Amino acid sequence: MKSIIFSFLLLSTTLSLFPLTGFSSTFTSDNPIVLPTTTEDNGLPVLPEVLDINGEPLLIGQEYHILSAVWGAGGGGVYLTKIGNTKCPNAVVQHGRDTQQGMPVKFLTRLPTHPPFDVIRETNEVEIMFSIRSTPRCDNGTYWMVDNPDMTARGTRFVVTSAIKIVPNIWFNIEKLSKTLPFYKLRHCPSRSICPTCPCSDVGLTILKGYRRLALTNQPFMVVFKKVQKSTDA
């Protein structure tokens, strides 16, 4: 029943939001939605849990698809591919069709502060990785990171994958974009303890060579998270 209710709300709200996605500044970094908090018995604030499309909290180590919250022209899920002259695939891109769910990812968090400790919370520092097997020919890792400025693309900083965890390029967080529905954006937000002067930036989409590449932009990519259902077949 919970899944049916969320599916109905996602559809109705997406249809109302779609005409505004190209022009509205509601979801820009300058107009963030204020995050609600709860409080533990010791008075410390507890950040809200990040929810999947069924209203369940995101769990550390569980597989999910990252999908566009806008159906139809909003495209599908994210996946890993090879662009240009690289030996192995390392570009994080989005499918153009909403029927394509992309590759599963896993989330890891560096500092789980409140029980249950296997839950991802809004604005937690998280690492993201594709949950796919590497090959002997291409064992270049699947951890997401923000690359250095690409001067062939006007200095754009793309989201790529790597086997080496380069701090603070690997840290992201998840922020909610709707007060009632599980619509979120990804942000690259280096830890203040490591890089106090590093700014936070939204992860959006940039069209390059026919691909919808994830990159740091002024317009965030509005997403939902769908849990990967494991087969029960023997």
Side-chain angles (χ1 to χ4, degrees):
M1 178 62 71
K2 182 184 293 185
S3 176
I4 296 174
I5 294 173
F6 266 87
S7 297
F8 174 78
L9 290 173
L10 282 170
L11 176 60
S12 60
T13 303
T14 298
L15 292 175
S16 65
L17 285 173
F18 178 72
L20 303 177
T21 55
F23 307 99
S24 174
S25 62
T26 303
F27 303 133
T28 64
S29 301
D30 297 329
N31 297 283
I33 289 178
V34 177
L35 296 174
T37 59
T38 56
T39 305
E40 286 189 334
D41 294 338
N42 58 12
L44 296 176
V46 179
L47 295 170
E49 299 171 341
V50 177
L51 305 178
D52 65 17
I53 60 173
N54 291 320
E56 302 295 334
L58 259 63
L59 301 178
I60 296 172
Q62 172 66 48
E63 292 184 339
Y64 296 91
H65 289 293
I66 300 178
L67 307 171
S68 171
V70 180
W71 296 354
V78 300
Y79 67 103
L80 180 65
T81 193
K82 176 181 176 181
I83 297 178
N85 297 322
T86 59
K87 177 183 177 181
C88 298
N90 74 336
V92 181
V93 301
Q94 183 212 12
H95 277 293
R97 296 183 178 180
D98 62 0
T99 55
Q100 300 293 324
Q101 297 191 89
M103 296 177 177
V105 303
K106 290 182 179 180
F107 298 94
L108 307 173
T109 185
R110 193 169 67 93
L111 295 172
T113 54
H114 300 283
F117 294 113
D118 61 342
V119 168
I120 302 294
R121 297 183 180 276
E122 294 176 33
T123 72
N124 276 166
E125 292 176 0
V126 298
E127 298 172 11
I128 307 173
M129 64 178 295
F130 282 113
S131 183
I132 57 175
R133 293 181 179 179
S134 59
T135 64
R137 183 174 178 272
C138 284
D139 189 17
N140 61 329
T142 62
Y143 285 98
W144 289 27
M145 62 170 280
V146 175
D147 205 359
N148 295 324
D150 186 339
M151 302 316 296
T152 66
R154 300 181 180 180
T156 301
R157 299 189 67 188
F158 293 107
V159 179
V160 297
T161 59
S162 174
I164 302 174
K165 297 183 180 183
I166 301 176
V167 176
N169 294 26
I170 60 169
W171 288 335
F172 298 85
N173 62 37
I174 303 171
E175 293 187 11
K176 199 170 187 184
L177 291 177
S178 169
K179 293 182 179 179
T180 57
L181 295 175
F183 291 176
Y184 297 91
K185 67 177 178 179
L186 301 175
R187 303 198 80 197
H188 173 55
C189 206
S191 172
R192 290 291 180 259
S193 62
I194 301 297
C195 186
T197 61
C198 292
C200 295
S201 302
D202 290 334
V203 175
L205 297 171
T206 295
I207 307 299
L208 183 68
K209 298 180 180 179
Y211 290 95
R212 300 184 181 193
R213 294 196 64 174
L214 271 65
L216 303 188
T217 68
N218 293 325
Q219 184 70 23
F221 175 31
M222 186 166 61
V223 301
V224 293
F225 305 104
K226 181 180 180 181
K227 184 177 179 180
V228 175
Q229 300 297 327
K230 298 294 186 180
S231 174
T232 57
D233 296 338

